[in-house]
Amino acid sequence: METEKFQYRHIGINAEDQKLMLAKIGVKSIDELIDQTIPQNIRLQGKLNLPEALSEHEYAEEMALMASKNRISASYIGMGWYDTVAPAPIIRNVFENPVWYTSYTPYQAEISQGRLEALMNFQTMVSDLTGLPLSNSSLLDESTAGAEAVTMMYALRSRDQIKNGANKVFVDQYIFPQTLAVIETRMKPQGIEVVIGSYREIALDNSYFAAVIQYPNSNGSVEDYAAFTEKAHSADCKVAVATDLMALALLTPPGDWGADIAFGSSQRFGIPMFYGGPSAGFFATKEEYKRNIPGRIIGVSKDAYGKAAYRMALQTREQHIKREKATSNICTAQALLATMAGFYAVYHGPKGLENIAKRIHSATALISDELKELGYICENEQYFDTLKVALPDGITQDMIHDMAEMRDINLRYFTTGEIGISIDETITEYKAHELLAVFAMAKGRMEVFMIDDLPEKCIIKEQFIRKSSYLQHEVYNLYHTETELMRYIKRLDRKDISLAHSMISLGSCTMKLNAASELLPLSLGGFQNIHPFAPESQTQGYTELIGELKEYLKEITGFADVSFQPNSGAAGEYAGLMTIRTYLESIGEGHRSIILIPASAHGTNPASAIQAGYETVTIACDELGNVNMEDLVSKAELHKSDLAGCMITYPSTHGIFEKEIKEMCKVVHDNGGQVYMDGANMNAQVGLTNPGFIGADVCHLNLHKTFAIPHGGGGPGEGPICVAEHLVPFLPHHPQTDGSTLNTVASAPYGSAGILPITYGYIRMMGADGLTNATKTAILNANYLAEALKDTYGIVYRGTTGRVGHELILECRNVKETSGITESDIAKRLMDYGYHAPTLSFPVHGTLMIEPTESESLAELNRFIETMNQIWEEIKEVENGVYSKEDNVLINAPHPEYEICADEWKHAYPRSKAAYPLDFVKNNKFWINVARIDNAYGDRNLISCLCDMG
């Protein structure tokens, strides 16, 4: 008897539903619909060569076995990753809670108040600990945050520096090697020279614009950078500091000694190491740089009735709007992990954090003292948690390594012969004893270290001791019991719409089911507690998983190899372009500098191309939304001698499978360029076509879209790149795995490796048939919605046969002309029905882009259609004068609970119309916390920290 297939749990449409939908669309079978949607010349003829689908139970057993192949050792490697105690109430109520992990980026602030408050907690925590007033709501990791810091300081050069061509950044030699590697990768195409040396010796002249230092540094040493910072500022150089939030609970924060930027990782604030990620990078700076800070800032504004409300501030910097003029290409951050880190600070509070930091430092001091007694030399005079230990005569690294292996202990082994030891919050008396025994045995001494307690000790000089307070806001001082924290988290999650509530119909973002069976393995210690630089002998489970997943993605995309290093889709775009760039340089074509980008391409493409050092040229689209072939041919030939490539999104962001896609690739190749295919819409290709077969040279995959990794309120993401054979040698390398820094784009060798089990599970449980059926169903659902809404709103673009792809663009511009109602009003009104808005005014201004995904049921699709039709009737009421343009349910939406329940009601329409517009809403009402938010007010009066709210 056949085990029930996972695909029938994942895909929301059953066989009977499908018949009804196909009849509505006007086709006899789903294959007929696919034939009308996807050009025949790019259709795959065979079935994907993937393993037979596993049941959910079989997958759980396989992952338990795979996790057991990763050996959990006591890790003292450090270098940006530390074992941590992830509080169980945060793991249980946030990390494993679909309300938190399936929500979307909080562009629609009124239904994202809980998440926005949690991210504001993170920002305030970062600002307090770094001593800098402005923080964003996370970056990808520490290394990319460092690169963003240099890019920002370059953009902030003075007029004289720009005039004089100042293009050098100084980076201290004792920064983490992976951070240096990423900075070098990112600066090269920008024409920025990275100068490495000692901060004590560097002479900063007018050719420099910035400096980057680490505090404590890679050796663990706490250095006095105050004089250096003053010297740098006198040379008109800004200073960015890589730092450790836990160390800053004890050490003087960088803001107090004049730093312009502080950045790093919040991993040790309750986030498991996950073999390198995900964990939230942080970035803080001075208030005057608010227009240049990369990423997203959470701010405070007011709603229509004056109530304070959170929102994403300064949103016009987003790359989808600014395109090639964006301050960065950041699209996905690490919002879920930032939320967890913020709750860690809330749970422990200032006193708790100080106690954790003191315990870490005290244990480090004890170990230092005992090592000195044994005859070892601790080279750090001042340290927080990390020792660099020189070995006495007769003791070698190999001897220490062998003794450490016997006790399941991982240490850092410097190429210069020293040993690195980084202590974390999991240290115990027993662990300290075991660690010291390694060094004692290497010397042939067998004494037992009687450590009954870790006595409090501080070796940090007074000049480095933190004097300023932190985390004084009440949120960090109220929720220190599990009961109170659990209730606080629940209060916040009730303010957010997620997939746990209703369909999120965002076009281009693919808010599909993130199945529990795919996510459960992430809670296994064998996946959580592995350092990214652990020996290969301890990471066999990850090695097996990554190797198999690579083969699956090669099969699905039609390419020769895969790199998992980019830890977001936009980072994948950048990595793919850098792979192309390096390849062109290798064949003597490094002068090629032009990237063609159709107007229908994904929004981050232009910003990524600029970051990779290219000049962008826009290709027009015709009135049907297709790439204008005449314009493509003309511009490709015009730039033939300098053409590096073309970035194509397929199907396009207009929701169309363009029939001339193979011809587009040929035009680019014939003119010397490479074809980059943006994989944002890969969920409309899987099993039916693929980028390699179409003719592309490289694509990135958004694993948080097509391959089921949750969005997490704006991250985590993972954006592996897949390439053709000739590009394989130029894929990202990593200094800790192969010693090469070629195209290093992330802190860890495999990016956010900890979430790869989700994609692995999606593929293994769906199998070839399930993946292909998912693609077909996504296209079916989109065409069903298009058919249902075409006679009211209208569909902006269709393919040559009249079909849309996996998404559709709803026409709303005509509505504004006749009623004054805008697409934004429709988006806000959807909240009253319990729905998140579709994608607003992108890629076409004045429209809504809808992507229903394959995991939604017919009942949910029909509810959404009923909602959109009811909103259409409400628009007609305004057009016909039933309600005025100044007072109607759309212009006043959303209607918060406090307004509905108020004693006074000022509107011409009844409360019931505002709150319960359809019967189904009464049974599952999502109560909104705030009325429509005044975005302009929030930008004019930026408040990005709880301490500024009064």
Side-chain angles (χ1 to χ4, degrees):
M1 187 173 179
E2 187 179 80
T3 306
E4 186 175 53
K5 293 183 177 179
F6 171 74
Q7 66 166 296
Y8 301 133
R9 297 296 190 183
H10 174 84
I11 297 172
I13 305 299
N14 62 35
E16 291 304 310
D17 295 335
Q18 190 181 109
K19 290 177 185 176
L20 295 171
M21 297 168 73
L22 292 170
K24 173 78 172 176
I25 293 168
V27 292
K28 293 184 176 63
S29 69
I30 196 163
D31 287 331
E32 182 183 348
L33 173 64
I34 298 303
D35 287 343
Q36 292 178 9
T37 304
I38 304 178
Q40 286 297 323
N41 68 335
I42 62 166
R43 290 287 299 277
L44 298 174
Q45 298 307 305
K47 180 179 172 181
L48 289 173
N49 183 20
L50 295 171
E52 200 66 34
L54 296 174
S55 70
E56 293 176 77
H57 178 67
E58 288 170 332
Y59 175 69
E61 290 184 331
E62 178 172 312
M63 295 312 285
L65 177 62
M66 198 172 280
S68 71
K69 296 178 183 178
N70 295 322
R71 195 165 92 236
I72 300 174
S73 299
S75 178
Y76 303 107
I77 299 170
M79 298 181 73
W81 288 273
Y82 309 87
D83 211 348
T84 184
V85 179
I90 296 175
I91 293 293
R92 188 70 166 170
N93 296 294
V94 180
F95 183 69
E96 296 176 346
N97 183 348
V99 174
W100 290 95
Y101 66 68
T102 70
S103 55
Y104 183 57
T105 306
Y107 291 115
Q108 296 294 334
E110 292 87 353
I111 50 172
S112 307
Q113 288 296 295
R115 209 162 352 113
L116 287 163
E117 181 174 332
L119 291 172
M120 177 65 91
N121 293 343
F122 173 82
Q123 282 184 185
T124 303
M125 170 192 84
V126 170
S127 288
D128 276 8
L129 288 170
T130 60
L132 288 160
L134 180 64
S135 168
N136 64 22
S137 58
S138 93
L139 294 179
L140 296 174
D141 60 23
E142 180 165 343
S143 299
T144 54
E148 294 290 347
V150 178
T151 300
M152 178 176 134
M153 292 186 291
Y154 187 66
L156 287 168
R157 290 178 302 164
S158 66
R159 288 183 180 179
D160 285 344
Q161 286 177 318
I162 295 171
K163 182 180 177 181
N164 296 330
N167 73 328
K168 291 181 183 176
V169 59
F170 166 72
V171 180
D172 187 71
Q173 60 193 343
Y174 296 126
I175 196 170
F176 287 143
Q178 66 270 18
T179 302
L180 175 61
V182 172
I183 289 174
E184 287 182 316
T185 296
R186 289 274 294 272
M187 296 312 112
K188 182 181 177 182
Q190 299 293 326
I192 296 171
E193 183 181 346
V194 179
V195 178
I196 306 160
S198 168
Y199 81 94
R200 299 175 187 274
E201 300 170 3
I202 188 68
L204 298 172
D205 57 32
N206 63 5
S207 65
Y208 289 86
F209 65 89
V212 183
I213 51 182
Q214 185 142 0
Y215 173 78
N217 69 20
S218 181
N219 290 341
S221 180
V222 177
E223 300 286 321
D224 185 353
Y225 292 121
F228 171 77
T229 301
E230 188 176 341
K231 181 177 76 170
H233 286 160
S234 67
D236 201 17
C237 286
K238 293 178 175 59
V239 177
V241 183
T243 191
D244 180 333
L245 293 177
M246 188 63 78
L248 297 183
L250 297 185
L251 299 178
T252 303
D256 286 11
W257 41 262
D260 299 285
I261 296 171
F263 66 89
S265 169
S266 60
Q267 180 269 316
R268 69 191 310 174
F269 273 42
I271 313 297
M273 290 182 288
F274 281 129
Y275 200 42
S279 53
F282 68 83
F283 192 105
T285 188
K286 296 178 177 177
E287 185 76 25
E288 56 261 41
Y289 305 141
K290 64 185 178 184
R291 297 282 172 182
N292 297 86
I293 187 172
R296 295 163 176 149
I297 306 169
I298 307 307
V300 181
S301 188
K302 61 182 182 179
D303 76 1
Y305 295 96
K307 181 180 179 180
Y310 299 101
R311 61 180 284 272
M312 274 171 47
L314 307 177
Q315 283 183 230
T316 52
R317 294 177 302 101
E318 284 290 316
Q319 62 293 118
H320 287 73
I321 300 166
K322 302 290 274 187
R323 293 177 70 85
E324 65 277 347
K325 295 180 181 177
T327 54
S328 75
N329 74 334
I330 295 167
C331 190
T332 301
Q334 301 282 20
L336 179 66
L337 295 313
T339 294
M340 291 173 63
F343 281 132
Y344 180 92
V346 167
Y347 194 40
H348 288 295
K351 198 65 186 172
L353 282 186
E354 183 182 11
N355 287 340
I356 292 169
K358 282 181 175 179
R359 180 176 175 81
I360 291 169
H361 177 67
S362 297
T364 310
L366 170 70
I367 289 163
S368 175
D369 289 345
E370 295 290 349
L371 288 175
K372 289 174 185 174
E373 285 290 316
L374 287 168
Y376 293 89
I377 302 147
C378 293
E379 295 189 349
N380 320 48
E381 180 191 344
Q382 291 291 289
Y383 52 82
F384 165 63
D385 65 353
T386 296
L387 304 172
K388 187 176 183 181
V389 181
L391 305 179
D393 291 342
I395 305 295
T396 66
Q397 272 192 351
D398 287 342
M399 294 168 65
I400 298 293
H401 179 270
D402 291 344
M403 298 300 173
E405 277 265 296
M406 288 172 58
R407 282 179 153 74
D408 260 347
I409 288 173
N410 289 334
L411 301 166
R412 181 180 177 186
Y413 299 95
F414 287 89
T415 56
T416 47
E418 300 87 358
I419 304 292
I421 306 172
S422 291
I423 303 300
D424 57 56
E425 68 167 312
T426 67
I427 192 70
T428 63
E429 289 79 4
Y430 175 75
K431 283 187 171 183
H433 166 270
E434 287 292 285
L435 179 59
L436 288 167
V438 167
F439 291 87
M441 288 177 65
K443 293 205 72 176
R445 294 171 58 172
M446 303 299 292
E447 65 255 51
V448 177
F449 295 90
M450 300 303 295
I451 305 173
D452 297 323
D453 191 21
L454 295 173
E456 185 172 326
K457 181 176 183 178
C458 181
I459 61 88
I460 302 170
K461 289 181 180 178
E462 182 66 22
Q463 71 188 89
F464 295 119
I465 295 289
R466 182 173 189 131
K467 308 299 191 300
S468 53
S469 60
Y470 53 90
L471 305 187
Q472 297 303 294
H473 191 275
E474 66 173 11
V475 75
Y476 305 105
N477 295 280
L478 290 177
Y479 309 114
H480 297 164
T481 67
E482 180 168 341
T483 305
E484 288 300 318
L485 181 71
M486 176 180 65
R487 290 172 181 164
Y488 177 57
I489 292 171
K490 187 62 182 176
R491 283 203 298 278
L492 296 193
D493 87 32
R494 288 178 59 205
K495 299 176 182 180
D496 276 15
I497 277 184
S498 69
L499 281 179
H501 299 91
S502 56
M503 175 173 76
I504 298 179
S505 61
L506 287 149
S508 197
C509 285
T510 318
M511 298 293 292
K512 66 167 69 183
L513 171 71
N514 314 120
S517 54
E518 296 158 2
L519 285 140
L520 282 173
L522 271 64
S523 295
L524 296 172
F527 288 124
Q528 287 192 348
N529 302 321
I530 306 297
H531 194 287
F533 304 154
E536 286 185 16
S537 60
Q538 297 175 11
T539 62
Q540 291 306 299
Y542 266 118
T543 300
E544 184 179 320
L545 183 145
I546 290 168
E548 290 183 15
L549 182 55
K550 178 183 288 192
E551 293 304 313
Y552 303 157
L553 295 181
K554 284 163 59 176
E555 172 67 15
I556 288 167
T557 61
F559 280 128
D561 206 355
V562 180
S563 169
F564 290 99
Q565 196 172 123
N567 43 16
S568 80
E573 290 176 18
Y574 175 79
L577 290 168
M578 287 300 295
T579 301
I580 288 173
R581 185 186 185 94
T582 315
Y583 162 72
L584 290 173
E585 289 171 353
S586 76
I587 61 171
E589 297 286 323
H591 65 278
R592 292 182 174 272
S593 59
I594 301 292
I595 295 288
L596 305 178
I597 302 180
S600 59
H602 201 60
T604 49
N605 287 180
S608 296
I610 295 297
Q611 278 199 345
Y614 289 113
E615 178 184 344
T616 65
V617 174
T618 301
I619 305 300
C621 288
D622 62 26
E623 59 185 16
L624 299 177
N626 299 295
V627 170
N628 185 316
M629 285 299 292
E630 192 175 308
D631 196 40
L632 174 64
V633 171
S634 171
K635 287 174 178 172
E637 291 179 350
L638 176 65
H639 299 288
K640 182 173 185 175
S641 60
D642 295 313
L643 183 63
C646 179
M647 300 184 79
I648 300 172
T649 303
Y650 198 76
S652 73
T653 310
H654 290 163
I656 297 171
F657 283 92
E658 291 155 298
K659 67 177 184 178
E660 295 176 308
I661 182 63
K662 281 209 165 192
E663 289 79 0
M664 292 181 211
C665 295
K666 186 175 186 304
V667 167
V668 176
H669 289 148
D670 286 349
N671 287 280
Q674 297 285 293
V675 176
Y676 179 96
M677 185 168 285
D678 186 307
N681 296 337
M682 188 67 197
N683 57 304
Q685 291 190 40
V686 177
L688 301 178
T689 184
N690 67 49
F693 184 67
I694 289 169
D697 300 287
V698 56
C699 79
H700 84 268
L701 301 173
N702 295 77
L703 298 190
H704 53 291
K705 293 184 180 181
T706 302
F707 295 97
I709 288 175
H711 276 64
E718 178 81 340
I721 57 172
C722 312
V723 298
E725 190 70 46
H726 63 284
L727 295 177
V728 171
F730 311 100
L731 284 169
H733 291 243
H734 196 280
Q736 293 302 125
T737 53
D738 57 19
S740 171
T741 60
L742 178 69
N743 290 333
T744 307
V745 292
S747 291
Y750 301 104
S752 293
I755 51 178
L756 293 179
I758 303 170
T759 293
Y760 179 84
Y762 176 67
I763 295 172
R764 288 295 282 114
M765 288 187 285
M766 290 291 278
D769 289 339
L771 292 174
T772 305
N773 288 338
T775 306
K776 291 178 178 180
T777 306
I779 293 170
L780 171 70
N781 287 359
N783 279 278
Y784 180 72
L785 287 186
E787 191 63 29
L789 299 172
K790 67 181 173 61
D791 295 328
T792 48
Y793 300 87
I795 312 304
V796 178
Y797 296 124
R798 293 179 181 270
T800 54
T801 60
R803 301 302 177 196
V804 299
H806 65 303
E807 59 191 7
L808 58 141
I809 300 176
L810 218 57
E811 180 63 86
C812 302
R813 291 168 291 191
N814 299 332
V815 167
K816 184 176 182 180
E817 294 175 10
T818 57
S819 66
I821 300 302
T822 67
E823 70 282 0
S824 183
D825 296 328
I826 298 170
K828 301 304 181 188
R829 180 59 173 155
L830 274 164
M831 298 176 189
D832 288 328
Y833 290 80
Y835 279 108
H836 193 293
T839 305
L840 186 65
S841 282
F842 176 82
V844 181
H845 187 72
T847 66
L848 295 171
M849 182 164 60
I850 298 171
E851 182 181 350
T853 85
E854 73 276 5
S855 53
E856 296 300 338
S857 67
L858 179 57
E860 182 70 356
L861 295 180
N862 285 338
R863 273 191 293 271
F864 183 75
I865 291 167
E866 185 183 8
T867 296
M868 293 303 295
N869 286 336
Q870 185 67 19
I871 290 174
W872 182 259
E873 292 303 316
E874 292 170 351
I875 294 168
K876 290 301 174 185
E877 288 176 341
V878 179
E879 288 182 1
N880 297 330
V882 178
Y883 297 105
S884 70
K885 292 184 178 181
E886 294 72 36
D887 185 29
N888 59 72
V889 285
L890 288 129
I891 204 79
N892 294 324
H895 297 82
E897 184 177 20
Y898 73 81
E899 180 189 23
I900 296 291
C901 296
D903 293 337
E904 186 179 11
W905 182 255
K906 297 181 178 180
H907 303 303
Y909 50 90
R911 281 183 169 92
S912 58
K913 186 177 183 67
Y916 299 122
L918 289 170
D919 286 343
F920 81 82
V921 181
K922 297 176 184 177
N923 298 323
N924 188 31
K925 179 65 179 175
F926 178 83
W927 285 107
I928 299 159
N929 188 247
V930 295
R932 193 175 302 198
I933 295 171
D934 186 337
N935 291 325
Y937 178 87
D939 282 349
R940 290 195 307 270
N941 305 275
L942 180 62
I943 296 174
S944 61
C945 186
L946 289 171
C947 48
D948 295 331
M949 292 178 64

